[in-house]
Amino acid sequence: MDSPEVTFTLAYLVFAVCFVFTPTEFHSAGLTVQNLLSGWLGSEDAAFVPYHLRRTAATLLCHSLLPLGYYVGMCFAASEKRLYFPSQAPETWRVFLLLAVLLPTIACTLIYYWSRDQWAHHPLARTLALYALPQSGWRAVASSVNTEFRRIDKFATGAPGARVIVTDTWVMKVTTYRVHVAQQQDVHLTVTESQQHDLSPDSNLPVQLLTIRVASTSPAVQAFDIRQAVPESPCSVWSWVPRSLRQTRPPCHCPRVLASLPGKDGPALQRPQSSGPAQQQPPRAG
C-alpha cells in the first residue's frame, strides 16, 4: 500500500479501537456514543432503564458502522483504486464493502426487533420481565429500578464499560452492549479468581483483585462476573462491600477473619475450593 493508505489505516485503526473501548482521553474529549447522542439518549439519572435501552441499541449501530466508515475514508486516501465505483474496485475491496454494509444491516434488523412493543424484546426488558408479578409487566419492574437508581445511597464503581451498580434491591453490571440485572435476594456470589498485587496505584497498599460470579437462583437469569479490588487489611475488608450486601462473607485470605464470620442469611459469597490438601484452621481467640 502507498503511504497515504498506511497512514489512514493506522489512524483509523487507533480511532476505532479507542471509540469502542473509550479510554479516559476519549471520555474527556466527549468522543463517546453517550456524549454524541446525549440529546436522544436522555438522562441516566432520570430514567435508568429507558436510557440504557437506547444506549445499547445506539452503541451497537455506531460500532457496526466503523468498517463502512473505513471504506469511505479509503475512497479518498486511495483514490487511484476507484473505490467509489464498487464495480471497478478490486475484488477484495468489493467483498469488504459487502461485509461493511451487511454489519449495520444486521444491527438495524436486531435493533428493530428489540424496539417492537416499546422495547419489550430488548434483552434488558426480557430480564426485568422475569421479576415482574403476574398482574404487571416489565415496565413496573423498570420503574422500581429507575427509582432506586436515583437514590444517593446506591453503590457504583468500575470503568464505564464494566460498571457495577448495587441498589437496595438490585445488583447490576453495565457493559458496552448489555446491562446485566439480578435481584439481591436471589443471587449467589462466588469468588472465581483472586490475583494478588503488592501495591495499588491509588492507595499504595497491597490489594486483591477479585473476580466474583453473580448467579441468580433462577436459571433464566444469565450469570455475570464483576471484578473488584479489595484491600488486604482485615480491618478494611468490608470497605468494598455495599451496605445492602454486607451480610455476605468477605473475600479475605486471613483464616481468622473467615473463621470469625459464620454464614448469615442473604446472598452467600463463597471462595473457590482449593485443589490441594486441606489446611487446619487456627483456633479462634476467645
Side-chain angles (χ1 to χ4, degrees):
M1 290 191 300
D2 296 335
S3 179
E5 300 177 50
V6 175
T7 302
F8 174 76
T9 299
L10 293 178
Y12 194 86
L13 180 62
V14 172
F15 168 78
V17 171
C18 293
F19 187 70
V20 172
F21 297 101
T22 56
T24 305
E25 293 76 12
F26 267 51
H27 276 284
S28 302
L31 295 177
T32 62
V33 175
Q34 296 92 317
N35 186 71
L36 296 175
L37 301 178
S38 59
W40 178 69
L41 295 177
S43 172
E44 182 186 44
D45 294 330
F48 177 83
V49 173
Y51 174 86
H52 285 285
L53 291 175
R54 294 188 290 265
R55 180 195 64 83
T56 51
T59 301
L60 179 63
L61 178 59
C62 290
H63 289 178
S64 68
L65 289 171
L66 288 174
L68 186 59
Y70 173 73
Y71 184 90
V72 173
M74 285 297 293
C75 290
F76 298 95
S79 56
E80 71 281 357
K81 294 183 180 295
R82 304 179 66 85
L83 298 181
Y84 39 83
F85 294 119
S87 60
Q88 301 179 13
E91 182 178 359
T92 303
W93 283 104
R94 290 201 301 269
V95 173
F96 181 85
L97 177 61
L98 177 62
L99 295 176
V101 173
L102 186 62
L103 281 177
T105 302
I106 296 175
C108 289
T109 304
L110 182 60
I111 293 170
Y112 172 75
Y113 171 73
W114 286 352
S115 63
R116 293 180 59 190
D117 299 330
Q118 298 182 345
W119 298 96
H121 299 282
H122 192 281
L124 176 56
R126 296 173 64 180
T127 301
L128 296 179
L130 298 174
Y131 296 102
L133 297 176
Q135 64 273 18
S136 62
W138 70 270
R139 292 179 184 83
V141 183
S143 178
S144 174
V145 174
N146 295 338
T147 301
E148 293 191 13
F149 183 79
R150 285 194 293 266
R151 297 174 183 171
I152 61 175
D153 59 346
K154 65 178 178 293
F155 174 85
T157 185
R163 194 155 53 110
V164 177
I165 302 168
V166 181
T167 66
D168 292 339
T169 308
W170 304 97
V171 181
M172 298 177 286
K173 180 182 178 181
V174 178
T175 64
T176 303
Y177 304 110
R178 187 164 183 177
V179 179
H180 298 274
V181 179
Q183 204 167 33
Q184 282 193 33
Q185 64 181 8
D186 296 332
V187 300
H188 186 81
L189 309 182
T190 305
V191 178
T192 59
E193 184 181 359
S194 176
Q195 298 178 358
Q196 301 291 331
H197 294 271
D198 294 335
L199 294 177
S200 169
D202 299 327
S203 60
N204 292 327
L205 295 175
V207 295
Q208 302 175 51
L209 184 61
L210 301 178
T211 300
I212 303 174
R213 187 73 169 172
V214 181
S216 175
T217 55
S218 173
V221 179
Q222 183 179 355
F224 56 93
D225 294 332
I226 59 177
R227 293 173 65 86
Q228 179 66 42
V230 182
E232 279 279 3
S233 171
C235 299
S236 58
V237 72
W238 289 101
S239 61
W240 75 279
V241 183
R243 183 178 303 173
S244 54
L245 283 180
R246 287 193 178 181
Q247 289 182 331
T248 61
R249 197 178 289 215
C252 178
H253 287 303
C254 178
R256 292 184 181 275
V257 175
L258 291 175
S260 64
L261 291 163
K264 299 179 182 180
D265 295 335
L269 180 59
Q270 297 183 350
R271 298 189 56 80
Q273 298 293 332
S274 175
S275 58
Q279 297 181 356
Q280 183 177 1
Q281 298 290 342
R284 283 183 286 178

